[in-house]
Amino acid sequence: MVEQVNRWRDSQLTDAAAKLFIYRAFVEAEVDVPKCLDRRVHDLYFNPPHEEFQPRTLWSLSNAFTSAFKELDPCRSSAPPRPSGSS
């Protein structure tokens, strides 16, 4: 895993490549993510709140997705509701 992170940190992205990745994730639904996070991921990548994520790398893009996910409300149970009168 450490090697993977190091490769991501060394993987420079052009702005166009990062935008395409975000577009594919949300618009083309290549990744199962809530579409409402598209703008937040974009903002976190292009205007990161932490200096550590300033470089335009795959690591920084991954962090933008992770940071946006952390802002979501906890998921509710995906089980369907029980019919009235059942226990």
Side-chain angles (χ1 to χ4, degrees):
M1 185 168 193
V2 172
E3 289 179 22
Q4 177 79 28
V5 169
N6 287 334
R7 281 195 300 271
W8 288 358
R9 284 184 172 155
D10 293 338
S11 298
Q12 295 293 315
L13 291 177
T14 63
D15 286 354
K19 289 176 183 179
L20 182 58
F21 192 99
I22 294 167
Y23 176 88
R24 286 181 172 164
F26 292 103
V27 176
E28 295 181 355
E30 288 189 9
V31 181
D32 187 20
V33 294
K35 293 187 185 300
C36 63
L37 295 178
D38 60 347
R39 171 51 66 183
R40 188 65 182 140
V41 170
H42 181 276
D43 291 343
L44 287 166
Y45 180 73
F46 288 101
N47 302 298
H50 305 288
E51 188 175 327
E52 173 183 5
F53 299 112
Q54 291 288 328
R56 298 284 198 254
T57 64
L58 189 54
W59 171 249
S60 296
L61 184 58
S62 174
N63 182 70
F65 274 89
T66 301
S67 295
F69 295 153
K70 288 179 183 178
E71 295 175 5
L72 286 174
D73 289 331
C75 295
R76 294 185 181 151
S77 171
S78 60
R82 292 183 183 181
S84 299
S86 63
S87 48

